[in-house]
Amino acid sequence: MSDAVAWLVKARIEDGAYSHKAGIRTGVMVNGGGAQGKTETVCAALAAFEADWLEVNAFMNPQAVPGTRDLLAPVAYVRCPVKATPVSTCQRILDFFGEDYKNMRQEDLIRTVNAAIAAHGTKALVIDDITRLKLHRESDQDVLDLLLEVMSMSVTLILVGVGIPLSGLLRRGRFDPVARQWLIPPVRDRGRSPNPEASTQHERRFEMVELNSFSYDSSAEINAWGDHLVRLEQNLRLLNDTEGMLSTGPMPEYLYARTNGVVGLLEKLIQRGCRLAIEEQSEHLDVSLLDRCQVSPTDMPDLDAESGEQPVIPPVRKAPGRKKKPRNTTFDDFGPAAEDAG
């Protein structure tokens, strides 16, 4: 699934970057649960595009004027503020470019953002945690209008978030497991929102893709989970041979039960287990060692719980203890001393 997301993101950016036609580029919305690896997948696609773009253009901005050729940033990445406003969103974007925005009004900030995107030759702008926008707030609706204006700069906009179909960004929708895509129903009542057209504008300008956690429902999905564990164990920095350490025996099912197939939880669990294995000089991961490791929300402080970014962390399932058999008391148990006492 991550390969499909990376392909779509890179394809959309390339389609827009290599097109000489002015106008709005089709954006991408990447939806999924918390700690599913959405940001890592998108950033990997951005890095691949940037490497290709720089090589094609000899590491220079082909549209830059003399004296500004070093102002080249083919891709930009920012995170949506928890309580976003057009001002704070513009400031986040300008922080990425290192632009000074002191004492600027909102219209000046928007103009400076547009100028920075053009001057740096930016072809793709990623805004992470986009579902921190709550569309019942008027300021959040203004942020949506700002994003539509940014898209008019011929830049491909990539929005990443948790629960996008239910957030109002694309209207309430449902996921079709057969077509493996989100279906958005037609608008029936346009009078419930202060800006009822905002969501439909985004629907027409974005393609949404889903990044799910690993599943254990079919052989193909189980094999995909095993392949991921193989790649993970190949990158472990333990002194013992790590081949098969995570992908054989009871480990695949155990790791799935501990993480629900969420790659972010898996990463934190393995990271904590490796530290314990190194400190104890065992240099080996197994079920008994990982049973002593617990992942908590404090391991992911950058995820906003109110926006649904924190994943559900399964508790450690302790092995049931052996029950003691009840002792059957008979007359013989008391022996001759008991008989004399009687």
Side-chain angles (χ1 to χ4, degrees):
M1 182 59 70
S2 61
D3 292 338
V5 173
W7 180 90
L8 178 61
V9 170
K10 190 170 182 288
R12 282 283 175 252
I13 298 174
E14 288 180 346
D15 291 345
Y18 290 103
S19 174
H20 298 288
K21 183 180 178 180
I24 294 174
R25 306 304 194 234
T26 301
V28 178
M29 287 188 176
V30 181
N31 179 64
Q36 300 280 34
K38 301 182 298 298
T39 300
E40 184 176 351
T41 301
V42 169
C43 288
L46 290 174
F49 163 76
E50 184 177 55
D52 294 341
W53 183 258
L54 291 174
E55 184 177 357
V56 167
N57 294 284
F59 294 86
M60 293 188 298
N61 185 356
Q63 300 175 344
V65 298
T68 63
R69 293 185 181 274
D70 60 331
L71 298 179
L72 179 57
V75 298
Y77 171 88
V78 298
R79 299 187 68 184
C80 183
V82 175
K83 291 186 177 180
T85 64
V87 170
S88 63
T89 304
C90 285
Q91 290 174 343
R92 286 286 180 95
I93 296 174
L94 293 176
D95 282 336
F96 177 87
F97 292 116
E99 297 283 346
D100 182 19
Y101 51 79
K102 186 177 181 181
N103 298 327
M104 283 189 183
R105 298 171 300 174
Q106 179 172 318
E107 54 268 28
D108 297 327
L109 288 168
I110 296 175
R111 184 168 55 253
T112 305
V113 167
N114 292 338
I117 290 174
H120 291 81
T122 302
K123 300 302 179 182
L125 171 63
V126 179
I127 300 184
D128 204 352
D129 303 325
I130 191 62
T131 43
R132 290 178 177 179
L133 295 180
K134 309 301 180 186
L135 295 186
H136 63 276
R137 295 195 295 250
E138 184 177 356
S139 59
D140 290 1
Q141 300 254 356
D142 293 338
V143 174
L144 286 182
D145 294 335
L146 169 65
L147 297 181
L148 292 176
E149 183 169 345
V150 170
M151 295 183 75
S152 66
M153 294 296 298
S154 299
V155 61
T156 301
L157 198 60
I158 311 295
L159 305 181
V160 184
V162 176
I164 289 178
L166 305 180
S167 67
L169 291 171
L170 283 173
R171 301 201 312 273
R172 194 171 294 270
R174 67 179 181 85
F175 185 73
D176 186 343
V178 178
R180 300 190 69 82
Q181 63 181 3
W182 285 92
L183 302 180
I184 309 298
V187 179
R188 295 183 178 178
D189 186 355
R190 297 179 181 272
R192 297 181 180 178
S193 170
N195 185 6
E197 296 294 335
S199 60
T200 58
Q201 282 183 302
H202 279 72
E203 175 192 349
R204 292 192 296 267
R205 296 182 178 185
F206 287 92
E207 180 174 354
M208 190 172 67
V209 62
E210 181 84 7
L211 183 59
N212 296 313
S213 61
F214 283 96
S215 175
Y216 238 67
D217 297 333
S218 67
S219 298
E221 292 168 330
I222 293 174
N223 291 335
W225 174 251
D227 293 340
H228 181 74
L229 294 180
V230 170
R231 290 193 295 269
L232 184 60
E233 68 188 12
Q234 290 173 348
N235 291 278
L236 294 179
R237 293 297 181 261
L238 296 176
L239 294 180
N240 287 340
D241 184 13
T242 60
E243 183 178 356
M245 188 177 292
L246 304 179
S247 58
T248 60
M251 288 294 282
E253 292 188 6
Y254 172 81
L255 292 173
Y256 186 84
R258 288 292 308 273
T259 63
N260 286 336
V262 177
V263 294
L265 296 180
L266 175 66
E267 177 185 342
K268 294 299 181 180
L269 178 62
I270 297 301
Q271 186 180 56
R272 182 157 293 188
C274 285
R275 173 169 292 276
L276 189 60
I278 293 172
E279 290 177 351
E280 295 182 350
Q281 299 182 0
S282 65
E283 301 289 338
H284 183 79
L285 297 178
D286 54 27
V287 171
S288 60
L289 183 142
L290 293 176
D291 274 341
R292 298 151 53 195
C293 302
Q294 178 65 50
V295 179
S296 68
T298 57
D299 293 315
M300 294 166 284
D302 57 332
L303 301 182
D304 181 36
E306 293 185 0
S307 300
E309 296 169 10
Q310 286 278 6
V312 176
I313 303 176
V316 180
R317 299 179 181 178
K318 296 188 179 296
R322 297 181 60 184
K323 295 182 179 180
K324 294 183 178 180
K325 295 183 179 180
R327 183 179 179 184
N328 295 326
T329 304
T330 61
F331 180 79
D332 294 337
D333 292 332
F334 294 95
E339 188 175 344
D340 294 340

